[in-house]
Amino acid sequence: MMSHSHITRTCSLWCADWPVIALRRRDGALRGVPVVVRERVGSREVVRAASAEARAEGVTRGMRRREAEARCPGVAVVDADLALEARAFEVVARAVETVTPRVVLERPGVCAFPTRGPSRYFGGDHGLARHVRDTVADVLGNDDDADSVRVAIADGAFAARLAARQASAREPLVVASGGGASFLASFPVRALGDDALADLLARLGLRTLGDFAALSTDAVLARFGAEGRRLHDLARGLDDAPPVLVEPPADLVEMVELDPPAARVDTAAFAAKGLADRLLARLAERGLACTRVVIEAETEHGERLSRCWRHDGALTPAALAERVRWQLDGWLHAHASVGIDDGRTDVRERQDAAAFADAGLDTTTGALTSLRLVPDEVVPADGRQLGFWGGDQLGAERADRALARVQGMVGYEGVVTAVVQGGRAPAEQVRWVPWGEPREPLQPLVVDGEVPSWPGAVPPPSPSRVFEPPLPAQFLDAGGNPVVVSGRGEQSAPPASLRCDALPARGGPVVAWAGPWAHDLRWWDPSTRRRRALWQVVVANGHDNPHGAAHVACLVSVEGGAAGVEALYD
Amino acid sequence: MAVVATPGGRRTGALPRRDADARAQLAEVAGRARPAVAAGDRLIPVPGPLGDALANGGLRRGAVYTVDGARGAGATSVVLSFAAAVTNAGEWAAIVDPYGTVGGRAAAEAGVVLERFAVVRHAPAPRWSTIVAALLDGFAFVAADVPRHCRLGDARRLAAKARERSAAFVAIGPWPAEAAARVHACASRWSGLGVGEGLLSARDVHVEVEGRGAPIRTRLAG
């Protein structure tokens, strides 16, 4: 089991409405007017971020673009530009880097770092938080932009992230060490970032993280699995770090030399894409996934650049490639303006560079000559591998959803899985359990360590088609009389032919047989007593068959004088 | 596996050379013991002669296969072998069985992992294609008895759905649309059972696979 001996005290920095700020920093005309940044989700255009002016008119995140325009006429609607957001955030990242080298970017607008060293240097958490806020505000320059900066310090990245949302622009929020759980208790469960689980918890009457945290760990693990357990830990204010940290294998660093040096983002990003794919493929081979990666680059002037990106859950190749691209964009655009102007850099790039120069930050001074991806934090990739119950967790969830839908269409009992149990006839040897119920046999194969015997059970191989009730048939001896069984379990005469409408050519002569297995079921109870005899029978099926003599094997039963095909070996 | 003892105590002249037989056995065991198919793999390998008869030795995700044959010829066993291959690869399989006749014990004996093998035992004909489509959403492998009057449009829609969701779909019975391969169970021959003696023990299934190119004839021991 994991231990929670230490929870990294973390400082989180969040720039509210970063997409708007990034756009305004590029285009001054957007300042002072209501702005909405739109993005496409499926076929809908929704609001990704809105400026304070637009929010005052009732525009909210996730609202449809059309509705936003209706609520706030004259709003400037701008397309989201993730690359721009990331590039602009590089200024902030570098400013934070003056405080600590261990900055981890989560997404444009949010970054975090462990406070242990810096906090002591700046005279405590409050001092550090204020210093970070002031540094970043200085770099951003503009008052409006500076007002968006929120800084908070708490135990663990998750608590710090939520605390940053509550911090005010002027005063950073510091959650006392050890007070994480009580701080988190009042947040809604939706803050966990898992909407499906949040919906479920709300329906169970658990509306806040405090309610969720109050559940016992064992109960959460049993009901919601490993992922639920992780979120439960978060709600209890325990560390956000992946549960099982594995030391990244040293030889998993992926590296590429860029020759000629890449001065343009697309050239470098193309190389990075292959690098990202290779890294994740090699990790996957070892059953690992990556949650934090360090992107390193070297310029033609020998500078070394490096930046750490963190991701909730395992990085996919696409997500990793995107982050590398953002980072390269940040580095190279800083260079493009300050370094050589080869005529290809556009106005936008120069403005970005001007922002760096204004901020008094170092900028990259050359094209990139090499690129390295270092997995910084790897976890066992349980998402893809067989889980404890032998099932891929993701596959189980998908299947569960599909079966729930089908159960809605055909009824609860209509969707089943088989459980093998003890019994004599094939129909009795299996219990069909409705999906969602515990898979337990009614007549276990093993009782208290002993295997109960089922006298007269039909031995394997088992028939692949079982008919309940048996298909009506005629089971005749050589004289054309029905085969019957005496009270002592002996047949009246050897079977010679089997006629059944369901068989090919409506049956035929019996070429081989064994039996009868006489079953006297529930003989102690006259009202439910059944007597039945079973034969294994092979019927020749010579008709319409180019492969010579063919066989149909079936299980024939005689009960109360009536014969039937109990099962077919299809 | 046979253990070969070398006479002469400590003499370590040479390890016994693995003969072809041992190699084949080893390959078979290795094939069975393979833990999982990576989710990215397009192919779900089917072991044994049945797999050899299929193009590339397995079921392709997103493709439609048909399996048919007279009753008792072995079509159900073929479907169960597919389901066994899929569930042993860690994937989920479902079968639509409107008359509720598939034998659970036979499935277990074929090697199907029953926990991951869902059976839909009631499927009203008008909702058949909706049910199959819903299953294709969540399962890597879906097999279904095709109702007698399955329309071409429905069949094509299901094929498109299977392709979109990367699920292998096996239609049992007459399938009006195109298929990557058509498996015909032609005939079975049983052995072990005599006249009034013995038990059914083994059988050969003659299977013809008709796909792109000429049909391949194969015999399965079952």
Side-chain angles (χ1 to χ4, degrees):
Chain A
M1 277 290 109
M2 53 185 146
S3 75
H4 303 288
S5 51
H6 80 285
I7 300 168
T8 319
R9 201 148 167 80
T10 306
C11 176
S12 178
L13 180 138
W14 171 55
C15 294
D17 302 327
W18 183 253
V20 176
I21 294 170
L23 282 164
R24 281 182 168 167
R25 292 175 74 75
R26 184 179 84 189
D27 185 356
L30 292 174
R31 286 195 190 279
V33 296
V35 178
V36 158
V37 181
R38 72 168 169 207
E39 68 179 336
R40 252 178 194 290
V41 176
S43 60
R44 311 192 318 155
E45 283 185 352
V46 299
V47 174
R48 175 177 164 80
S51 69
E53 295 89 347
R55 272 207 312 275
E57 302 286 332
V59 178
T60 57
R61 204 171 164 229
M63 181 183 274
R64 292 190 79 133
R65 192 255 310 160
R66 219 180 307 149
E67 198 184 342
E69 282 177 328
R71 288 205 180 178
C72 183
V75 67
V77 178
V78 192
D79 280 325
D81 183 348
L82 286 174
L84 166 75
E85 288 168 25
R87 199 158 63 221
F89 199 64
E90 181 68 13
V91 180
V92 176
R94 289 196 179 198
V96 178
E97 229 169 24
T98 61
V99 178
T100 173
R102 295 155 74 191
V103 187
V104 180
L105 269 59
E106 289 180 13
R107 60 184 166 79
V110 181
C111 66
F113 59 89
T115 61
R116 215 177 113 212
S119 180
R120 212 173 307 152
Y121 184 81
F122 288 100
D125 287 344
H126 286 275
L128 168 67
R130 240 171 277 142
H131 178 79
V132 169
R133 201 210 87 87
D134 294 346
T135 312
V136 174
D138 276 356
V139 164
L140 289 176
N142 187 298
D143 278 352
D144 285 350
D145 297 354
D147 278 351
S148 75
V149 180
R150 309 273 193 277
V151 179
I153 296 180
D155 290 343
F158 176 70
R161 201 156 54 214
L162 288 185
R165 304 246 154 193
Q166 289 210 331
S168 72
R170 296 282 156 216
E171 195 50 41
L173 180 63
V174 176
V175 179
S177 181
S182 52
F183 169 74
L184 290 171
S186 61
F187 281 89
V189 282
R190 206 158 273 280
L192 290 170
D194 182 336
D195 287 349
L197 180 73
D199 281 345
L200 181 57
L201 290 177
R203 273 181 279 142
L204 293 173
L206 304 170
R207 302 195 181 280
T208 64
L209 293 184
D211 296 342
F212 185 40
L215 301 181
S216 85
T217 310
D218 293 347
V220 170
L221 183 61
R223 176 65 180 77
F224 300 108
E227 177 63 11
R229 166 79 189 269
R230 188 181 74 80
L231 295 173
H232 185 239
D233 281 347
L234 287 187
R236 290 160 65 209
L238 300 178
D239 201 2
D240 192 9
V244 194
L245 275 179
V246 179
E247 189 70 20
D251 56 334
L252 276 178
V253 176
E254 280 292 341
M255 155 158 201
V256 65
E257 298 280 346
L258 300 169
D259 188 17
R264 292 175 55 82
V265 175
D266 41 5
T267 333
F270 183 73
K273 174 80 175 60
L275 215 57
D277 288 346
R278 275 212 305 281
L279 175 70
L280 292 183
R282 280 179 56 193
L283 283 171
E285 271 174 23
R286 301 181 177 215
L288 298 172
C290 184
T291 54
R292 209 159 76 173
V293 68
V294 179
I295 304 163
E296 294 180 354
E298 212 166 300
T299 69
E300 51 192 352
H301 298 164
E303 289 166 296
R304 286 170 175 277
L305 309 160
S306 104
R307 176 79 75 230
C308 180
W309 282 84
R310 181 185 165 282
H311 190 259
D312 277 328
L315 278 161
T316 59
L320 178 54
E322 189 177 39
R323 274 153 187 77
V324 176
R325 191 188 164 90
W326 289 347
Q327 192 55 56
L328 296 174
D329 210 358
W331 286 331
L332 282 170
H333 277 109
H335 141 74
S337 42
V338 183
I340 346 118
D341 189 347
D342 57 2
R344 285 182 295 188
T345 51
D346 61 14
V347 182
R348 220 170 71 188
E349 291 171 356
R350 259 176 252 138
Q351 280 169 349
D352 286 331
F356 278 85
D358 290 348
L361 293 167
D362 296 337
T363 49
T364 317
T365 57
L368 305 179
T369 54
S370 80
L371 202 58
R372 276 154 50 95
L373 292 182
V374 185
D376 191 41
E377 199 175 82
V378 295
V379 291
D382 51 0
R384 284 283 176 84
Q385 292 226 319
L386 295 183
F388 183 67
W389 288 279
D392 175 345
Q393 196 64 34
L394 218 63
E397 279 165 22
R398 268 181 68 194
D400 192 35
R401 277 198 295 276
L403 291 181
R405 268 192 65 202
V406 175
Q407 272 181 327
M409 288 186 256
V410 303
Y412 185 68
E413 309 272 321
V415 180
V416 294
T417 57
V419 180
V420 173
Q421 63 178 11
R424 294 186 176 85
E428 294 154 9
Q429 289 172 340
V430 166
R431 176 176 175 226
W432 296 101
V433 182
W435 180 255
E437 283 190 7
R439 301 181 70 253
E440 281 158 12
L442 288 178
Q443 304 155 26
L445 286 172
V446 178
V447 181
D448 297 335
E450 284 183 30
V451 181
S453 68
W454 295 92
V458 180
S462 298
S464 52
R465 293 280 180 181
V466 179
F467 305 105
E468 276 185 280
L471 305 172
Q474 286 174 296
F475 195 41
L476 308 172
D477 61 19
N481 301 312
V483 178
V484 289
V485 183
S486 73
R488 316 197 72 173
E490 284 158 1
Q491 61 193 11
S492 56
S497 72
L498 178 69
R499 306 248 155 250
C500 175
D501 289 347
L503 295 183
R506 312 186 70 183
V510 170
V511 295
W513 56 271
W517 287 277
H519 299 161
D520 194 353
L521 308 172
R522 306 187 73 81
W523 47 264
W524 57 89
D525 181 356
S527 61
T528 58
R529 182 179 184 184
R530 288 176 65 189
R531 298 184 55 168
R532 157 186 83 187
L534 290 178
W535 284 262
Q536 268 187 350
V537 164
V538 170
V539 177
N541 174 26
H543 297 283
D544 149 53
N545 173 20
H547 304 282
H551 295 152
V552 176
C554 39
L555 208 58
V556 178
S557 70
V558 172
E559 188 173 352
V565 173
E566 188 99 355
L568 197 65
Y569 295 82
D570 185 27
Chain B
M1 209 172 297
V3 178
V4 184
T6 31
R10 292 185 150 243
R11 226 161 27 124
T12 55
L15 287 168
R17 183 175 288 179
R18 291 188 187 138
D19 55 4
D21 190 37
R23 268 167 206 277
Q25 257 187 31
L26 204 62
E28 198 225 356
V29 170
R32 257 189 289 135
R34 244 181 80 159
V37 181
D41 281 1
R42 300 293 300 165
L43 200 77
I44 305 169
V46 177
L50 187 58
D52 298 342
L54 294 168
N56 307 322
L59 296 170
R60 200 153 44 78
R61 289 171 198 266
V64 176
Y65 297 83
T66 73
V67 176
D68 57 16
R71 276 194 157 166
T76 310
S77 301
V78 169
V79 174
L80 290 179
S81 320
F82 286 162
V86 171
T87 52
N88 278 308
E91 295 281 9
W92 286 69
I95 185 165
V96 180
D97 177 27
Y99 305 105
T101 58
V102 167
R105 191 125 194 179
E109 284 165 13
V112 176
V113 181
L114 295 180
E115 295 94 290
R116 291 198 292 274
F117 182 59
V119 183
V120 178
R121 296 194 104 196
H122 308 296
R127 315 205 67 174
W128 180 84
S129 62
T130 325
I131 291 168
V132 175
L135 291 174
L136 286 170
D137 261 341
F139 286 81
F141 172 90
V142 177
D145 278 327
V146 180
R148 204 167 304 159
H149 303 292
C150 179
R151 282 177 305 183
L152 181 62
D154 281 346
R156 291 230 168 104
R157 260 194 294 282
L158 289 179
K161 182 89 182 177
R163 191 162 54 240
E164 181 206 342
R165 306 298 303 185
S166 289
F169 178 53
V170 172
I172 309 168
W175 177 246
E178 303 75 11
R182 294 176 184 274
V183 181
H184 306 287
C186 303
S188 280
R189 283 181 61 83
W190 282 91
S191 52
L193 192 63
V195 178
E197 54 168 19
L199 287 168
L200 289 177
S201 59
R203 77 158 154 188
D204 284 342
V205 186
H206 287 259
V207 170
E208 272 186 23
V209 179
E210 183 191 332
R212 285 177 212 107
I216 305 164
R217 290 189 183 177
T218 187
R219 282 158 57 103
L220 310 175

